Amino acid sequence: MLITLTLLAHIGVLPPALPVPAIHDSLPAAQPPTVTYPFKVGETLHYTASIGYLPIGSADLAVTGLARERGAETFVLTLSGEGGPPGFGISYEATSWVGTKQFTSRRFHRRVAQAGQVTDQSFLIYPDSARYREVGNPEAWVAPRDALDEVAFLYFLRTTPLEVGRTYSWARYFRTGFNPVQVQVTGREAVRLPTGETPTCLVLHVTTRAGASDLWLTDDARRLPAQARVPLNFGTVTLQLAGVGAGAGSESARR
């Protein structure tokens, strides 16, 4: 959500990368040990969006199921939202297929509608070949072997050990022109959840070539994105966790 909105604000500003020759089969990557994730199928997170005290919309983030993409088992991650002040209304729908064992993106679809203009894009991502294609375009572009799309990147942050005072840098976004993604863990703060809990959260300052924003992740086994603050072209939007649906908890990837 955080990285998604930051990149969304600047989509199309940077070129994708240099095209490469057609994709060829390569040896499969070695499988890592079983991984336990802080989320599982069915987890649905509901958010409200506001500018200051003005409500402007809502968003949902969910692990909607499991699927197979080119032989690999994947989580199906979805993000949808709509809102914005008058004259700047926007709706966003995205689906990410990311491997349950090798946590890399395999496919990504994004649809953005704003001011009567619609952008609808689908991407096939090939981690073994370090390339990606946009559906409908015969060219292929270089991508990291451990590539992530913007929705998968948020879940990746939930799985990654983070220490206060440290800065991390990853060149994993599949459109390489936006890399690196840098995350500075600036401290801990309490954030009130809709359940009445006030868990301590890690405060992350996230910077890409598209811009900067802030994310609060609960500092517990759930690693819930409790809050985000994102500067967009019509103002700084605060996304606040408003509800947690079924399926919250961990899931082990099966070998």
Side-chain angles (χ1 to χ4, degrees), residues 2-204:
L2 167 80
I3 294 172
T4 297
L5 289 174
T6 301
L7 292 170
L8 175 61
H10 299 269
I11 282 173
V13 173
L14 298 176
L18 295 176
V20 296
I23 294 171
H24 300 286
D25 291 336
S26 59
L27 293 175
Q31 294 295 341
T34 299
V35 178
T36 299
Y37 295 100
F39 50 83
K40 65 180 181 180
V41 172
E43 181 194 78
T44 302
L45 307 178
H46 308 285
Y47 294 87
T48 58
S50 62
I51 297 179
Y53 293 103
L54 176 66
I56 63 165
S58 62
D60 291 322
L61 182 66
V63 185
T64 59
L66 296 172
R68 299 201 74 83
E69 283 295 318
R70 300 187 300 279
E73 183 184 71
T74 63
F75 289 114
V76 182
L77 311 176
T78 62
L79 171 63
S80 61
E82 61 181 4
F88 290 93
I90 185 170
S91 66
Y92 179 89
E93 298 174 5
T95 304
S96 168
W97 290 260
V98 60
T100 61
K101 298 178 178 64
Q102 184 185 12
F103 200 80
T104 58
S105 295
R106 303 285 176 152
R107 183 155 63 103
F108 180 61
H109 174 251
R110 177 204 299 126
R111 184 182 187 277
V112 183
Q114 184 175 27
Q117 296 185 338
V118 176
T119 301
D120 197 312
Q121 295 173 294
S122 293
F123 301 93
L124 299 175
I125 303 169
Y126 302 85
D128 294 341
S129 303
R131 296 161 190 174
Y132 79 92
R133 292 184 186 277
E134 183 175 358
V135 174
N137 188 330
E139 291 186 302
W141 289 271
V142 172
R145 287 191 177 274
D146 54 357
L148 296 169
D149 58 76
E150 50 257 39
V151 178
F153 221 116
L154 176 60
Y155 284 88
F156 165 72
L157 288 178
R158 294 181 64 183
T159 70
T160 302
L162 300 168
E163 297 180 16
V164 174
R166 292 194 60 181
T167 299
Y168 303 84
S169 182
W170 293 283
R172 293 191 61 177
Y173 186 62
F174 78 101
R175 296 181 69 189
T176 57
F178 290 96
N179 286 319
V181 177
Q182 293 186 326
V183 175
Q184 181 183 9
V185 188
T186 61
R188 289 184 173 89
E189 291 181 8
V191 173
R192 187 173 182 82
L193 297 183
T195 59
E197 301 173 85
T198 53
T200 299
C201 293
L202 295 170
V203 184
L204 312 182

